[in-house]
Amino acid sequence: MADDSPFTAFIYPDNLEKPTLYPIFAANGEVITRGFPLAPRPNEPTDHPHHIGLWMNYESVNGLDFWNNSSAIPEIKKNKYGWIKTTAISETKSGTAGVIKYTADWCDIKNMCY
């Protein structure tokens, strides 16, 4: 929440390759993140399925691509991609300054985490 209005949610379901802030609302309450692929809207682009909300990661860590991983990657190529798995949330705070502190493991297809 920001000034008693929705701002965003931190989501990290098992079916996403990384945690993300989604959806994000403008000050007027309008959703400013696209819906695809989580909640597609009519006439919306369907490219870049890894662009979900607002997230932070890197393309190359220990030889794995954490940036581009999404449901669109063929299973045969998944061994080149990584998953960021949230393991704990230690702090959240809403208001004029929002805070989220969490712990995550960066893992490969075999669930080997670093």
Side-chain angles (χ1 to χ4, degrees):
M1 302 294 284
D3 294 331
D4 297 322
S5 297
F7 172 63
T8 193
F10 180 70
I11 63 170
Y12 51 98
D14 290 338
N15 65 329
L16 288 183
E17 288 77 3
K18 57 192 156 256
T20 187
L21 297 174
Y22 179 88
I24 299 175
F25 296 88
N28 67 0
E30 181 181 351
V31 175
I32 59 171
T33 44
R34 71 180 190 171
F36 178 80
L38 300 179
R41 295 188 289 267
N43 304 316
E44 183 177 57
T46 57
D47 62 334
H48 295 80
H50 59 286
H51 288 183
I52 299 173
L54 177 66
W55 39 271
M56 192 287 299
N57 64 40
Y58 295 92
E59 184 174 4
S60 183
V61 177
N62 294 331
L64 297 173
D65 184 346
F66 287 85
W67 181 276
N68 293 295
N69 199 0
S70 76
S71 60
I73 302 299
E75 203 61 39
I76 195 158
K77 294 183 178 183
K78 282 285 194 178
N79 65 323
K80 298 177 181 172
Y81 294 83
W83 288 257
I84 303 171
K85 299 180 179 187
T86 301
T87 57
I89 296 177
S90 56
E91 182 182 353
T92 62
K93 178 181 163 188
S94 294
T96 55
V99 173
I100 183 162
K101 293 182 183 180
Y102 69 100
T103 303
D105 289 334
W106 293 47
C107 307
D108 65 17
I109 195 167
K110 296 177 183 172
N111 211 27
M112 292 291 300
C113 301
Y114 309 94

